[in-house]
Amino acid sequence: MAEVQDATNVGKPVPIVLAEEDHQFVLDEEALEGILLKDDIKDRNVVVVSVAGSYRKGKSFLMDFVLRYMKATYHLNLINEDAHWIGSDDKPLDGFSWRGGSDRDTTGILMWSEVFKATLNDGEKVAIVLLDTQGTFDSESTVKDCATVFALSTLLSSIQIYNLKFNIQEDDLQHLQLFTEYGRLALEDSGTKPFQKLQFLVRDWSFPYEAEYGAEGGKKILDKRLQISDKQHPEHQSLRKHIKSCFSDIGCYLMPHPGLNVATNPNFDGKLSDIEPEFKKNLITLIPMLLSPNQLILKEIGGQKIKAKELVHYFKAYIKLCTGAELPEPKSMFDTTAEANNLSAVASAREVYRSMMDTICGGNRPYLNSNSLDVEHFKNKDIAIEQFIAKRKMGGDEFSESYKFKLENDIDEDFLKFKSQNESKNVFKSARTPAVFFSVAVVCYFISGLFNFFGIYSVASGINLIMGLALLILILWSYIRYSGVHSELGSTIDDAANIMWDNFLKPTYEIFLQKGLEQATNQAINIAVNNTTSPITGVQSPFVKRPMQRMNSHIEMNDRFKQT
Ligand SMILES: Nc1nc2c(ncn2[C@@H]2O[C@H](COP(=O)(O)OP(=O)(O)OP(=O)(O)O)[C@@H](O)[C@H]2O)c(=O)[nH]1
Ligand SMILES: [Mg+2]
């Protein structure tokens, strides 16, 4: 017994993964290498035991009993059959820091500085590493912090103890799913189960009449909780399938309550004499069940056993993955639900906009002039946004503001598509390229004729060359449109035609049109005022003649009236 007590003073907890204030996790490589790269350790295959779960649930307290067992069994080579490893009744519990109170204690990931050396039944010499982790869901950690610690410790351990209180609840399974999925994302898909042993540990189990304390009762409860049946909601079924697919072995142990001293006495220092005998009895069964030489599970990654020196590389690689920008940000249940709500409201409002625009300018509707299309767009956009605002959504106005912005962007994107679809229906626009090049050819033809007439042959042949080029481009464009090949060249020709149209042909055409209109208006006024015959038809217009006759007769009548 004395030897056991001395042994508990060897080693100390070493922070390996440090939780920084800005919610970043940093690996202390030097400390890690100091533990795992010792000459007598580095080439041994490793067993990594870790404990994870919500904060303030006795994880570090349990690990200190694990330490007592490890020291007695592997450090001092005491065989534990007589349960002496658990120590004397009056010895306070030390090792990983544990304490009472409601505020979190452990942060980041701690590794015990002593790596225990063991020889398996087949003679293989292995090293056993113990990890204690920061509890999940304390008031200071974000969901990402919790997922990072849980995923890292699951990725790096061969036995992960999932520490729960009272029962295995649905939310415990949901969190496990979230965290393991986070860890699984960090791994390349190897097709095999990514993690090894998962040991549910239910503390303060209060229903021994339903399932007895220990592994047998634990199995009964676990089977019930992980059972998949057709009657279950698909969400529950997939959750269970997911958990089973992640771990190669899943067990459960039901622990009794340790007694009121442990749970509520602020002066409790871990003495066995203050702990309920039933709890002690179960510790003596639980810990050797996981860690006796014939129960050890070697750490494997992708089917390969991992040596202590290799574990250092995996620590470095996984922390980089879990803290890098590649993994998606895990969110709280509320955020995820509110996001889903808002996204579905965005989708249905967008659908409203699309279907309204479809009836106005969809594929089977005729061309609409761009002003009317703009008016319809703004009107329908307003209707869609109003519908988005009116829809009941979780998260409140502030939360949905960014989704409203997204909806506006999505609608503007849709509008661009509707617009270009509408433009493609404008036959005049699609005929612009041939019209431009044809016009160039015709104009060149007349101008070159003019130069020929005046005998300036060199200029005329230069203009003829331009005419030939325009015709050649026209033929090339027609071929591209017909065959569908070299579409980029086709677009360049279209662009060139647009530039010529916008800068030369359209202004010229507008000037002529304006002049023509001015002339026509002047003539119409002349006809009206002078009652002249139309210069075009040579006929006196009845629309002008009749009102003029009526006006003249009114003047005549007026004059006669004045005379009488
Ligand atoms: N009810 C109950 N209390 C326990 C049990 N085991 C330990 N405790 C008490 O729980 C309190 C917290 O113990 P810790 O080991 O520090 O808990 P932890 O889970 O490591 O907490 P964090 O490091 O903050 O995540 C201490 O007061 C222990 O005495 C148990 O099985 N049941
Ligand atoms: Mg702790």
Side-chain angles (χ1 to χ4, degrees), residues 86-133:
I86 200 143
S88 59
D89 270 359
D90 56 349
K91 187 179 183 324
L93 187 66
D94 53 12
F96 287 106
S97 154
W98 68 274
R99 63 171 174 82
S102 61
D103 293 330
R104 73 171 186 188
D105 186 35
T106 313
T107 57
I109 299 179
L110 303 168
M111 184 179 276
W112 192 250
S113 65
E114 271 311 289
V115 175
F116 299 94
K117 290 185 274 185
T119 308
L120 301 184
N121 289 347
D122 61 2
E124 185 180 351
K125 292 185 183 315
V126 300
I128 307 165
V129 178
L130 300 184
L131 301 178
D132 184 18
T133 69

Side-chain angles (χ1 to χ4, degrees), residues 51-65 93 96-107 110 132-136 138 163-166 201-205 255-266 268-270 279:
V51 63
S54 331
Y55 81 122
R56 304 283 72 215
K57 299 288 189 309
K59 297 184 297 298
S60 306
F61 182 82
L62 172 87
M63 284 314 269
D64 288 343
F65 282 105
L93 187 66
F96 287 106
S97 154
W98 68 274
R99 63 171 174 82
S102 61
D103 293 330
R104 73 171 186 188
D105 186 35
T106 313
T107 57
L110 303 168
D132 184 18
T133 69
Q134 172 177 325
T136 52
D138 65 89
N163 193 61
L164 303 171
K165 207 156 185 178
F166 302 131
L201 181 62
V202 181
R203 313 290 280 263
D204 301 359
W205 175 249
M255 280 297 273
H257 195 284
L260 282 183
N261 260 328
V262 180
T264 56
N265 183 355
F268 171 64
D269 61 1
F279 186 85

Side-chain angles (χ1 to χ4, degrees), residues 150-163:
F150 200 107
L152 264 178
S153 60
T154 312
L155 280 163
L156 290 160
S157 59
S158 51
I159 305 172
Q160 174 71 294
I161 302 171
Y162 187 24
N163 193 61

Side-chain angles (χ1 to χ4, degrees), residues 543-557:
F543 301 106
V544 177
K545 196 175 166 186
R546 273 190 211 125
M548 291 300 286
Q549 280 171 346
R550 243 181 269 137
M551 203 166 80
N552 288 337
S553 63
H554 274 296
I555 296 167
E556 266 172 40
M557 275 172 69

